[in-house]
Amino acid sequence: MKSKLLSSLLLWIVVAIVLGIVCSFFFPEWLARVFVTFNGLFSNFLGFFVPVLIFALIAPAIAGLGAGAGKWLGVTAGIAYASTIVSGLIAWGTATALYPTLLGDRTLVTNVDDPEAGGLSPFFEVEMPAPFPVMSALLLAFVIGIAMTAVKSDTMFRVLDELQGVIMKVVTSFVIPLLPLYIFGTLLNLGMNDSFGSTLAAFGTVLLLSVVMTIVIILLLYLLAGAIAGRNPFTALGNMMPAYFTALGTSSSAATIPVTYASTLKNKVDENVAGFVIPLCATIHLSGSMMKITLYALAIVYMGNMDISAAQILGFLLLLGIMMVAAPGVPGGAIMAAVGLLQANLGFDESAISLMIAAYIVVDSFGTAANVTGDGAIALIVNRFAAGRIQGYKLEQRELVDASPNASGSTVANPA
């Protein structure tokens, strides 16, 4: 139990936030600049790495969709994408309606790494240019992924599948373990330039709002699924509570798949439908994550007085729904997949990205819980039309890989 607690990313994020606040009151400038220097190096590495991450994760994911269950693959993917985008639109509407009241006239200094803005400067910098822009990575991933599906290039798929494993090893063994130190440095710098108090107060409100809205999106999904499938939505939602609370504890959609599957079967969903929909949606359905990322991003836009048009926000949502396919069940995976888009479409700088990561991971488990619970609702909808028409997808026949940082691939037995 002690080792499991110490390996919790959430615990270290909380520790980093608290220490960053506390240390900003007494750290000498030279020591704080050590961490600011690290943050600069890590930010530059992320700028280099994110386009590679996007290509390596999205290309095989798009190609892999071609090996599914015919038209039901398209139907399930369409429902999952629509759910994710609608969640983003609801978050946008909520932010538009509530932020003028909740956030008032609070402002956010996003360029805290600028000495002239009151922040600290690093001792030195190392340029790390990206191999290609973020949008080029996304377009290249789609072109190659779709082409691989058309020509059935098994060799290319294996190469990209191995590349995905290599990139995920970098994420889980290098990027994620260093996130707490990165967040510590950001909050230390924020605290030492006197901009932290209003930022913390404002984001505390947004954090609470995001948790409430993830619950709202779950309720809406089950009301819709219950109407389509002819089931009591509250009974169906009650049967999914084991999956919800498992996801709260693991912060991983992939790690929760066996429990999500077993909970879905309690709603009388066909075993093959559940075995097909649940693993697929664990990768492509992220309505809870979309809700949180959108609320946080728009909070930064609002407090930073950033000139972002409605067309930019809509484009951001539509692309984010696609790019979060690159969040394969790892804690914090969705926000890492969204980093490049936040920079390219909304113009976020390194400090804004760091704040997004900190805010997201603090309540990451609530978004993950909304994602996996929503998977059960999608399974109900697909089951209404596909029961008996999808064969060979019972969970015990599929190799499910737990993408959490401390796990290795394993075949999961039928938990039902």
Side-chain angles (χ1 to χ4, degrees), residues 311-324:
Q312 284 178 283
I313 296 175
L314 181 60
F316 168 75
L317 295 179
L318 294 176
L319 285 174
L320 182 59
I322 297 171
M323 290 185 67
M324 285 200 302

Side-chain angles (χ1 to χ4, degrees), residues 56 165 189 240 354 366-367:
N189 199 10
M240 294 299 298
S354 181
F366 287 93

Side-chain angles (χ1 to χ4, degrees), residues 198-270:
S198 60
T199 299
L200 181 62
F203 259 93
T205 303
V206 176
L207 290 175
L208 180 60
L209 177 64
S210 71
V211 171
V212 172
M213 290 306 298
T214 57
I215 296 173
V216 170
I217 201 67
I218 293 173
L219 291 173
L220 292 176
L221 273 171
Y222 274 87
L223 289 172
L224 177 62
I228 294 175
R231 304 283 175 82
N232 185 317
F234 300 104
T235 300
L237 181 57
N239 289 334
M240 294 299 298
M241 284 299 98
Y244 182 88
F245 287 106
T246 300
L248 279 181
T250 64
S251 295
S252 170
S253 298
T256 312
I257 285 175
V259 181
T260 310
Y261 175 76
S263 299
T264 302
L265 294 182
K266 293 179 182 178
N267 284 328
K268 300 180 180 178
V269 173
D270 180 87

Side-chain angles (χ1 to χ4, degrees), residues 51 60 67 83 110 123 130 133 189 202 206 256 266 269 273 276 295 316 351 392 403 415:
S83 171
T110 56
F123 286 113
N189 199 10
V206 176
T256 312
K266 293 179 182 178
V269 173
V273 173
F276 170 69
L295 287 174
F316 168 75
S351 294

Side-chain angles (χ1 to χ4, degrees), residues 27-331:
F27 260 34
E29 182 176 318
W30 68 267
L31 182 56
R33 289 180 63 194
V34 171
F35 293 96
V36 172
T37 301
F38 166 79
N39 273 28
L41 296 174
F42 191 72
S43 295
N44 289 342
F45 173 78
L46 287 181
F48 158 80
F49 182 68
V50 164
V52 182
L53 172 74
I54 290 171
F55 173 77
L57 296 183
I58 290 184
I62 296 298
L65 291 179
K71 68 177 182 179
W72 300 113
L73 170 70
V75 170
T76 305
I79 295 172
Y81 181 72
S83 171
T84 301
I85 296 303
V86 168
S87 177
L89 293 174
I90 292 174
W92 184 11
T94 301
T96 302
L98 298 183
Y99 280 178
T101 301
L102 292 179
L103 303 182
D105 58 354
R106 292 170 180 161
T107 58
L108 174 67
V109 179
T110 56
N111 59 332
V112 295
D113 58 337
D114 181 357
E116 296 180 359
L120 302 175
S121 60
F123 286 113
F124 62 90
E125 298 180 354
V126 177
E127 293 295 328
M128 303 180 194
F132 36 74
V134 169
M135 291 308 299
S136 297
L138 181 62
L139 290 173
L140 185 63
F142 266 85
V143 170
I144 291 181
I146 293 172
M148 285 168 56
T149 300
V151 301
K152 296 179 172 57
S153 177
D154 294 335
T155 301
M156 189 69 174
F157 182 82
R158 285 195 295 270
V159 170
L160 287 179
D161 192 50
E162 289 189 11
L163 176 62
Q164 182 185 72
V166 171
I167 294 301
M168 283 309 304
K169 183 65 175 177
V170 176
V171 172
T172 57
S173 299
F174 178 73
V175 176
I176 290 179
L178 288 178
L179 284 179
L181 185 59
Y182 179 52
I183 291 167
F184 169 81
T186 298
L187 295 181
L188 178 67
N189 199 10
L190 278 172
M192 295 186 74
N193 82 342
D194 300 323
S195 69
F196 181 76
S198 60
T199 299
L200 181 62
F203 259 93
T205 303
V206 176
L207 290 175
L208 180 60
L209 177 64
S210 71
V211 171
V212 172
M213 290 306 298
T214 57
I215 296 173
V216 170
I217 201 67
I218 293 173
L219 291 173
L220 292 176
L221 273 171
Y222 274 87
L223 289 172
L224 177 62
I228 294 175
R231 304 283 175 82
N232 185 317
F234 300 104
T235 300
L237 181 57
N239 289 334
M240 294 299 298
M241 284 299 98
Y244 182 88
F245 287 106
T246 300
L248 279 181
T250 64
S251 295
S252 170
S253 298
T256 312
I257 285 175
V259 181
T260 310
Y261 175 76
S263 299
T264 302
L265 294 182
K266 293 179 182 178
N267 284 328
K268 300 180 180 178
V269 173
D270 180 87
E271 287 186 348
N272 286 289
V273 173
F276 170 69
V277 171
I278 297 305
L280 177 62
C281 285
T283 299
I284 66 174
H285 178 234
L286 296 106
S287 57
S289 299
M290 172 67 88
M291 175 65 68
K292 294 196 310 172
I293 290 175
T294 305
L295 287 174
Y296 299 160
L298 293 180
I300 289 177
V301 167
Y302 180 88
M303 291 187 292
N305 294 316
M306 300 171 66
D307 186 18
I308 305 295
S309 68
Q312 284 178 283
I313 296 175
L314 181 60
F316 168 75
L317 295 179
L318 294 176
L319 285 174
L320 182 59
I322 297 171
M323 290 185 67
M324 285 200 302
V325 172
V330 299

